[in-house]
Amino acid sequence: MKLPIIRQFYQNQTPENLEKTLEVLESFSEFRGTSEEDLNVVGELITNICGALEVHANVQNGMSEKDALNSFAQKVLGSIDK
């Protein structure tokens, strides 16, 4: 998870574009010939896209961009600590 990338995805892409990209990456990750290195890269991209989608949703619900980004980061860090 990289907040600068999530911020850029949020600022430059619509939720619809992010959803379409997410579908393609998920499909790619299911291909049995995908290498471990490719899966690591795709996993990182999926995390960042999901973060941008969550930021879009939180901002639409009235949260500031900064707070939405920090909220997502705390959620991810909180799940790692468990």
Side-chain angles (χ1 to χ4, degrees), residues 54 58 63 65-76:
E54 187 166 320
N58 286 338
M63 195 178 281
E65 178 183 329
K66 179 182 176 184
D67 289 341
L69 286 163
N70 287 334
S71 173
F72 179 75
Q74 290 303 317
K75 180 191 277 188
V76 170

Side-chain angles (χ1 to χ4, degrees), residues 10-28:
Y10 163 75
Q11 291 174 344
N12 297 317
Q13 297 299 320
T14 64
E16 294 79 18
N17 285 345
L18 293 169
E19 288 284 352
K20 289 176 187 175
T21 304
L22 189 58
E23 288 177 27
V24 170
L25 290 172
E26 287 173 343
S27 178
F28 175 80

Side-chain angles (χ1 to χ4, degrees), residues 5-82:
I5 293 172
I6 294 170
R7 179 182 291 118
Q8 183 169 341
F9 284 168
Y10 163 75
Q11 291 174 344
N12 297 317
Q13 297 299 320
T14 64
E16 294 79 18
N17 285 345
L18 293 169
E19 288 284 352
K20 289 176 187 175
T21 304
L22 189 58
E23 288 177 27
V24 170
L25 290 172
E26 287 173 343
S27 178
F28 175 80
S29 69
E30 294 169 357
F31 175 63
R32 67 182 182 150
T34 306
S35 71
E36 190 70 31
E37 182 179 346
D38 289 341
L39 287 174
N40 288 336
V41 172
V42 168
E44 182 71 19
L45 287 168
I46 287 172
T47 301
N48 291 329
I49 290 170
C50 288
L53 286 168
E54 187 166 320
V55 171
H56 270 290
N58 286 338
V59 168
Q60 189 169 1
N61 290 330
M63 195 178 281
S64 73
E65 178 183 329
K66 179 182 176 184
D67 289 341
L69 286 163
N70 287 334
S71 173
F72 179 75
Q74 290 303 317
K75 180 191 277 188
V76 170
L77 293 175
S79 70
I80 292 171
D81 291 340
K82 291 182 180 180

